[in-house]
């Protein structure tokens, strides 16, 4: 679908930040933190629910992803200053944040670094703080292998692997291949991705990320296993966690461990739901809860 707004913001340091908007242009602002590997187009699946609820979704590409400038050796805590500049550009004094899957650390970073501007955050099927995780068995086997490779293989070899993967993963899958791709997912996730808009939000946003830069996708991946620079028990902004009990990327046990660390947190485990089906099937409920939750100043 065509976003309501799609443009490039130039930061004070000259870096480009691409962002798109969905939902209600005059609604309650929500910064959308896309997953991995993904890009700003992932937020398109929120459009109908956001428009109905009066929510303005603002979805920026992270550095090195799609149309945003690649930034060498960036850290997770480089994200809040970027979002702060974007919010200033959009004349937003305060906003809420929504992190999906790999966008979770970025939503947490906003909550930690900008409690005076971030009202509430929602994290859906969220990636955990791996550096503080007690047990990695709840992570998808692919993620555990990527962590092993990053720790054991020389950096040039890792870069080569991502560059070799890029041509294939940058291709747009033919429509007739969609049913074949969905066979690799568990039924609850496959069923949710049979929706045209949901499929495009997932796979087209991934393709855009790979097409732009393998280096950007790799840099984004490497941040997940690095120390974040803060702990979840330091958060002072209300956090709403949503997770499926059948999530294969990050098990619900991982979500419970994260929830126990966060002081002001509400965790909802959805029965029979997987990694993709929670955000796709429950996005209206998630957004309604996000804008209805009292801010930290009111608690």
């Amino acid at each position: 679908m065509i976003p309501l707004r799609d443009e490039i913001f130039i930061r004070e340091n000259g870096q480009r930040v691409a962002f798109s908007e969905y939902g209600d242009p005059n609604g309650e602002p929500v910064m959308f933190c896309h997953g991995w590997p993904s890009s700003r187009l992932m937020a398109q699946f929120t459009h109908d629910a956001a428009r109905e609820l009066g929510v303005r979704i603002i979805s920026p590409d992270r550095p090195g992803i799609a149309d945003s400038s690649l930034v060498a050796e960036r850290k997770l805590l480089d994200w809040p200053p970027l979002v702060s500049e974007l919010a200033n550009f959009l004349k937003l004094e305060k906003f809420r944040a929504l992190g999906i899957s790999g966008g979770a650390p970025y939503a947490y970073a906003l909550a930690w670094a900008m409690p005076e501007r971030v009202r509430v955050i929602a994290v859906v099927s969220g990636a955990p703080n791996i550096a503080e995780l007690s047990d990695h068995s709840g992570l998808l086997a692919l993620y555990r292998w990527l962590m092993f490779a990053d720790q054991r293989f020389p950096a040039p070899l890792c870069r080569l692997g991502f560059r070799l993967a890029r041509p294939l993963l940058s291709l747009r899958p033919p429509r007739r291949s969609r049913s074949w791709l969905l066979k690799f997912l568990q039924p609850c996730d496959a069923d949710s991705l049979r929706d045209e808009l949901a499929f495009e939000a997932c796979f087209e946003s991934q393709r855009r990320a790979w097409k732009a830069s393998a280096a950007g996708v790799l840099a984004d991946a490497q941040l997940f296993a690095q120390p974040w620079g803060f702990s979840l028990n330091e958060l002072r902004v209300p956090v709403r966690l949503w997770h499926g009990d059948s999530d294969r990327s990050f098990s619900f046990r991982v979500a419970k461990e994260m929830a126990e660390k966060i002081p002001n947190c509400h965790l909802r485990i959805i029965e029979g739901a997987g990694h993709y089906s929670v955000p796709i099937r429950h996005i209206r409920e998630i957004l309604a809860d996000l804008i209805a939750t009292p801010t930290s100043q009111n608690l």
Side-chain angles (χ1 to χ4, degrees), residues 176-196:
R176 63 180 179 274
S177 71
R178 291 186 177 184
S179 59
W180 177 79
L181 288 171
L182 295 179
K183 289 180 180 178
F184 289 92
L185 301 176
Q186 57 185 327
C188 60
D189 286 332
D191 288 345
S192 64
L193 286 168
R194 288 190 175 91
D195 176 81
E196 180 77 16

PDB file of all heavy atoms in Angstrom, residues 176-196:
ATOM      1  N   ARG A 176       3.161 -17.125  -6.913  1.00  0.00           N
ATOM      2  CA  ARG A 176       2.884 -18.558  -6.847  1.00  0.00           C
ATOM      3  C   ARG A 176       3.750 -19.282  -5.818  1.00  0.00           C
ATOM      4  O   ARG A 176       3.456 -20.411  -5.445  1.00  0.00           O
ATOM      5  CB  ARG A 176       3.067 -19.192  -8.218  1.00  0.00           C
ATOM      6  CG  ARG A 176       4.482 -19.110  -8.770  1.00  0.00           C
ATOM      7  CD  ARG A 176       4.589 -19.753 -10.140  1.00  0.00           C
ATOM      8  NE  ARG A 176       5.928 -19.653 -10.697  1.00  0.00           N
ATOM      9  CZ  ARG A 176       6.373 -18.615 -11.389  1.00  0.00           C
ATOM     10  NH1 ARG A 176       5.569 -17.578 -11.605  1.00  0.00           N
ATOM     11  NH2 ARG A 176       7.611 -18.587 -11.872  1.00  0.00           N
ATOM     12  N   SER A 177       4.836 -18.610  -5.368  1.00  0.00           N
ATOM     13  CA  SER A 177       5.721 -19.247  -4.388  1.00  0.00           C
ATOM     14  C   SER A 177       5.302 -18.968  -2.948  1.00  0.00           C
ATOM     15  O   SER A 177       5.895 -19.511  -2.022  1.00  0.00           O
ATOM     16  CB  SER A 177       7.163 -18.765  -4.600  1.00  0.00           C
ATOM     17  OG  SER A 177       7.311 -17.407  -4.201  1.00  0.00           O
ATOM     18  N   ARG A 178       4.298 -18.133  -2.743  1.00  0.00           N
ATOM     19  CA  ARG A 178       3.929 -17.729  -1.391  1.00  0.00           C
ATOM     20  C   ARG A 178       3.467 -18.915  -0.547  1.00  0.00           C
ATOM     21  O   ARG A 178       3.841 -19.033   0.615  1.00  0.00           O
ATOM     22  CB  ARG A 178       2.842 -16.655  -1.435  1.00  0.00           C
ATOM     23  CG  ARG A 178       3.348 -15.332  -1.981  1.00  0.00           C
ATOM     24  CD  ARG A 178       2.297 -14.249  -1.868  1.00  0.00           C
ATOM     25  NE  ARG A 178       2.832 -12.969  -2.343  1.00  0.00           N
ATOM     26  CZ  ARG A 178       2.188 -11.822  -2.293  1.00  0.00           C
ATOM     27  NH1 ARG A 178       0.952 -11.787  -1.786  1.00  0.00           N
ATOM     28  NH2 ARG A 178       2.745 -10.717  -2.737  1.00  0.00           N
ATOM     29  N   SER A 179       2.646 -19.768  -1.131  1.00  0.00           N
ATOM     30  CA  SER A 179       2.156 -20.920  -0.371  1.00  0.00           C
ATOM     31  C   SER A 179       3.312 -21.827   0.030  1.00  0.00           C
ATOM     32  O   SER A 179       3.300 -22.423   1.117  1.00  0.00           O
ATOM     33  CB  SER A 179       1.130 -21.697  -1.190  1.00  0.00           C
ATOM     34  OG  SER A 179       1.693 -22.150  -2.410  1.00  0.00           O
ATOM     35  N   TRP A 180       4.331 -21.907  -0.823  1.00  0.00           N
ATOM     36  CA  TRP A 180       5.513 -22.720  -0.496  1.00  0.00           C
ATOM     37  C   TRP A 180       6.288 -22.091   0.655  1.00  0.00           C
ATOM     38  O   TRP A 180       6.716 -22.793   1.580  1.00  0.00           O
ATOM     39  CB  TRP A 180       6.396 -22.849  -1.731  1.00  0.00           C
ATOM     40  CG  TRP A 180       7.663 -23.602  -1.483  1.00  0.00           C
ATOM     41  CD1 TRP A 180       7.835 -24.951  -1.399  1.00  0.00           C
ATOM     42  CD2 TRP A 180       8.965 -23.028  -1.273  1.00  0.00           C
ATOM     43  NE1 TRP A 180       9.152 -25.260  -1.156  1.00  0.00           N
ATOM     44  CE2 TRP A 180       9.867 -24.106  -1.074  1.00  0.00           C
ATOM     45  CE3 TRP A 180       9.457 -21.722  -1.248  1.00  0.00           C
ATOM     46  CZ2 TRP A 180      11.227 -23.901  -0.837  1.00  0.00           C
ATOM     47  CZ3 TRP A 180      10.810 -21.521  -1.018  1.00  0.00           C
ATOM     48  CH2 TRP A 180      11.665 -22.589  -0.812  1.00  0.00           C
ATOM     49  N   LEU A 181       6.449 -20.760   0.633  1.00  0.00           N
ATOM     50  CA  LEU A 181       7.172 -20.074   1.707  1.00  0.00           C
ATOM     51  C   LEU A 181       6.460 -20.250   3.047  1.00  0.00           C
ATOM     52  O   LEU A 181       7.108 -20.435   4.080  1.00  0.00           O
ATOM     53  CB  LEU A 181       7.306 -18.581   1.380  1.00  0.00           C
ATOM     54  CG  LEU A 181       8.268 -18.188   0.266  1.00  0.00           C
ATOM     55  CD1 LEU A 181       8.114 -16.716  -0.070  1.00  0.00           C
ATOM     56  CD2 LEU A 181       9.704 -18.503   0.648  1.00  0.00           C
ATOM     57  N   LEU A 182       5.154 -20.203   3.025  1.00  0.00           N
ATOM     58  CA  LEU A 182       4.393 -20.292   4.264  1.00  0.00           C
ATOM     59  C   LEU A 182       4.448 -21.673   4.896  1.00  0.00           C
ATOM     60  O   LEU A 182       4.160 -21.828   6.088  1.00  0.00           O
ATOM     61  CB  LEU A 182       2.939 -19.884   4.020  1.00  0.00           C
ATOM     62  CG  LEU A 182       2.723 -18.410   3.623  1.00  0.00           C
ATOM     63  CD1 LEU A 182       1.259 -18.127   3.389  1.00  0.00           C
ATOM     64  CD2 LEU A 182       3.299 -17.463   4.673  1.00  0.00           C
ATOM     65  N   LYS A 183       4.846 -22.673   4.122  1.00  0.00           N
ATOM     66  CA  LYS A 183       4.947 -24.028   4.668  1.00  0.00           C
ATOM     67  C   LYS A 183       6.059 -24.142   5.712  1.00  0.00           C
ATOM     68  O   LYS A 183       6.076 -25.077   6.502  1.00  0.00           O
ATOM     69  CB  LYS A 183       5.188 -25.033   3.544  1.00  0.00           C
ATOM     70  CG  LYS A 183       3.977 -25.262   2.654  1.00  0.00           C
ATOM     71  CD  LYS A 183       4.267 -26.276   1.561  1.00  0.00           C
ATOM     72  CE  LYS A 183       3.036 -26.490   0.675  1.00  0.00           C
ATOM     73  NZ  LYS A 183       3.302 -27.451  -0.427  1.00  0.00           N
ATOM     74  N   PHE A 184       6.995 -23.190   5.690  1.00  0.00           N
ATOM     75  CA  PHE A 184       8.096 -23.221   6.655  1.00  0.00           C
ATOM     76  C   PHE A 184       7.661 -22.686   8.028  1.00  0.00           C
ATOM     77  O   PHE A 184       8.424 -22.767   8.990  1.00  0.00           O
ATOM     78  CB  PHE A 184       9.274 -22.401   6.133  1.00  0.00           C
ATOM     79  CG  PHE A 184       9.984 -23.036   4.965  1.00  0.00           C
ATOM     80  CD1 PHE A 184       9.622 -22.732   3.663  1.00  0.00           C
ATOM     81  CD2 PHE A 184      10.990 -23.967   5.174  1.00  0.00           C
ATOM     82  CE1 PHE A 184      10.269 -23.312   2.590  1.00  0.00           C
ATOM     83  CE2 PHE A 184      11.645 -24.563   4.105  1.00  0.00           C
ATOM     84  CZ  PHE A 184      11.276 -24.239   2.811  1.00  0.00           C
ATOM     85  N   LEU A 185       6.459 -22.118   8.098  1.00  0.00           N
ATOM     86  CA  LEU A 185       5.962 -21.545   9.348  1.00  0.00           C
ATOM     87  C   LEU A 185       4.935 -22.459   9.985  1.00  0.00           C
ATOM     88  O   LEU A 185       4.314 -23.284   9.318  1.00  0.00           O
ATOM     89  CB  LEU A 185       5.323 -20.179   9.071  1.00  0.00           C
ATOM     90  CG  LEU A 185       6.214 -19.116   8.433  1.00  0.00           C
ATOM     91  CD1 LEU A 185       5.404 -17.866   8.143  1.00  0.00           C
ATOM     92  CD2 LEU A 185       7.402 -18.787   9.325  1.00  0.00           C
ATOM     93  N   GLN A 186       4.757 -22.298  11.280  1.00  0.00           N
ATOM     94  CA  GLN A 186       3.714 -23.061  11.957  1.00  0.00           C
ATOM     95  C   GLN A 186       2.346 -22.536  11.514  1.00  0.00           C
ATOM     96  O   GLN A 186       2.230 -21.384  11.067  1.00  0.00           O
ATOM     97  CB  GLN A 186       3.884 -22.964  13.466  1.00  0.00           C
ATOM     98  CG  GLN A 186       3.892 -21.556  14.031  1.00  0.00           C
ATOM     99  CD  GLN A 186       4.184 -21.556  15.510  1.00  0.00           C
ATOM    100  OE1 GLN A 186       3.808 -22.463  16.229  1.00  0.00           O
ATOM    101  NE2 GLN A 186       4.878 -20.531  15.984  1.00  0.00           N
ATOM    102  N   PRO A 187       1.310 -23.359  11.596  1.00  0.00           N
ATOM    103  CA  PRO A 187       0.000 -22.993  11.036  1.00  0.00           C
ATOM    104  C   PRO A 187      -0.554 -21.650  11.499  1.00  0.00           C
ATOM    105  O   PRO A 187      -1.099 -20.893  10.691  1.00  0.00           O
ATOM    106  CB  PRO A 187      -0.895 -24.155  11.489  1.00  0.00           C
ATOM    107  CG  PRO A 187       0.032 -25.321  11.595  1.00  0.00           C
ATOM    108  CD  PRO A 187       1.331 -24.744  12.101  1.00  0.00           C
ATOM    109  N   CYS A 188      -0.418 -21.327  12.784  1.00  0.00           N
ATOM    110  CA  CYS A 188      -1.003 -20.065  13.261  1.00  0.00           C
ATOM    111  C   CYS A 188      -0.353 -18.860  12.593  1.00  0.00           C
ATOM    112  O   CYS A 188      -1.026 -17.866  12.288  1.00  0.00           O
ATOM    113  CB  CYS A 188      -0.910 -19.966  14.783  1.00  0.00           C
ATOM    114  SG  CYS A 188       0.762 -20.015  15.458  1.00  0.00           S
ATOM    115  N   ASP A 189       0.959 -18.929  12.341  1.00  0.00           N
ATOM    116  CA  ASP A 189       1.640 -17.831  11.662  1.00  0.00           C
ATOM    117  C   ASP A 189       1.361 -17.840  10.168  1.00  0.00           C
ATOM    118  O   ASP A 189       1.145 -16.789   9.555  1.00  0.00           O
ATOM    119  CB  ASP A 189       3.152 -17.917  11.916  1.00  0.00           C
ATOM    120  CG  ASP A 189       3.537 -17.493  13.316  1.00  0.00           C
ATOM    121  OD1 ASP A 189       2.814 -16.669  13.913  1.00  0.00           O
ATOM    122  OD2 ASP A 189       4.557 -17.984  13.835  1.00  0.00           O
ATOM    123  N   ALA A 190       1.374 -19.017   9.563  1.00  0.00           N
ATOM    124  CA  ALA A 190       1.098 -19.123   8.130  1.00  0.00           C
ATOM    125  C   ALA A 190      -0.293 -18.595   7.796  1.00  0.00           C
ATOM    126  O   ALA A 190      -0.477 -17.865   6.809  1.00  0.00           O
ATOM    127  CB  ALA A 190       1.246 -20.575   7.680  1.00  0.00           C
ATOM    128  N   ASP A 191      -1.273 -18.931   8.624  1.00  0.00           N
ATOM    129  CA  ASP A 191      -2.637 -18.475   8.376  1.00  0.00           C
ATOM    130  C   ASP A 191      -2.729 -16.953   8.407  1.00  0.00           C
ATOM    131  O   ASP A 191      -3.414 -16.338   7.588  1.00  0.00           O
ATOM    132  CB  ASP A 191      -3.593 -19.070   9.418  1.00  0.00           C
ATOM    133  CG  ASP A 191      -3.835 -20.549   9.213  1.00  0.00           C
ATOM    134  OD1 ASP A 191      -3.500 -21.067   8.119  1.00  0.00           O
ATOM    135  OD2 ASP A 191      -4.336 -21.210  10.143  1.00  0.00           O
ATOM    136  N   SER A 192      -2.041 -16.323   9.349  1.00  0.00           N
ATOM    137  CA  SER A 192      -2.105 -14.864   9.460  1.00  0.00           C
ATOM    138  C   SER A 192      -1.423 -14.183   8.281  1.00  0.00           C
ATOM    139  O   SER A 192      -1.822 -13.097   7.858  1.00  0.00           O
ATOM    140  CB  SER A 192      -1.489 -14.397  10.781  1.00  0.00           C
ATOM    141  OG  SER A 192      -0.111 -14.698  10.830  1.00  0.00           O
ATOM    142  N   LEU A 193      -0.404 -14.830   7.707  1.00  0.00           N
ATOM    143  CA  LEU A 193       0.336 -14.236   6.599  1.00  0.00           C
ATOM    144  C   LEU A 193      -0.290 -14.513   5.239  1.00  0.00           C
ATOM    145  O   LEU A 193       0.235 -14.077   4.217  1.00  0.00           O
ATOM    146  CB  LEU A 193       1.789 -14.722   6.623  1.00  0.00           C
ATOM    147  CG  LEU A 193       2.646 -14.094   7.716  1.00  0.00           C
ATOM    148  CD1 LEU A 193       3.972 -14.826   7.858  1.00  0.00           C
ATOM    149  CD2 LEU A 193       2.902 -12.619   7.420  1.00  0.00           C
ATOM    150  N   ARG A 194      -1.394 -15.233   5.211  1.00  0.00           N
ATOM    151  CA  ARG A 194      -2.117 -15.394   3.953  1.00  0.00           C
ATOM    152  C   ARG A 194      -2.856 -14.117   3.564  1.00  0.00           C
ATOM    153  O   ARG A 194      -3.261 -13.951   2.411  1.00  0.00           O
ATOM    154  CB  ARG A 194      -3.077 -16.580   4.041  1.00  0.00           C
ATOM    155  CG  ARG A 194      -2.350 -17.913   4.033  1.00  0.00           C
ATOM    156  CD  ARG A 194      -3.277 -19.108   3.867  1.00  0.00           C
ATOM    157  NE  ARG A 194      -2.484 -20.317   3.750  1.00  0.00           N
ATOM    158  CZ  ARG A 194      -2.131 -21.082   4.779  1.00  0.00           C
ATOM    159  NH1 ARG A 194      -2.538 -20.758   6.006  1.00  0.00           N
ATOM    160  NH2 ARG A 194      -1.395 -22.151   4.602  1.00  0.00           N
ATOM    161  N   ASP A 195      -3.016 -13.231   4.508  1.00  0.00           N
ATOM    162  CA  ASP A 195      -3.562 -11.907   4.217  1.00  0.00           C
ATOM    163  C   ASP A 195      -2.559 -11.131   3.365  1.00  0.00           C
ATOM    164  O   ASP A 195      -1.364 -11.069   3.680  1.00  0.00           O
ATOM    165  CB  ASP A 195      -3.831 -11.147   5.519  1.00  0.00           C
ATOM    166  CG  ASP A 195      -4.303  -9.732   5.274  1.00  0.00           C
ATOM    167  OD1 ASP A 195      -5.486  -9.549   5.011  1.00  0.00           O
ATOM    168  OD2 ASP A 195      -3.454  -8.825   5.341  1.00  0.00           O
ATOM    169  N   GLU A 196      -3.030 -10.549   2.258  1.00  0.00           N
ATOM    170  CA  GLU A 196      -2.156  -9.869   1.297  1.00  0.00           C
ATOM    171  C   GLU A 196      -1.331  -8.759   1.944  1.00  0.00           C
ATOM    172  O   GLU A 196      -0.113  -8.676   1.759  1.00  0.00           O
ATOM    173  CB  GLU A 196      -3.005  -9.290   0.164  1.00  0.00           C
ATOM    174  CG  GLU A 196      -2.209  -8.552  -0.907  1.00  0.00           C
ATOM    175  CD  GLU A 196      -1.484  -9.473  -1.862  1.00  0.00           C
ATOM    176  OE1 GLU A 196      -1.820 -10.671  -1.912  1.00  0.00           O
ATOM    177  OE2 GLU A 196      -0.570  -8.981  -2.555  1.00  0.00           O
TER     178      GLU A 196
END
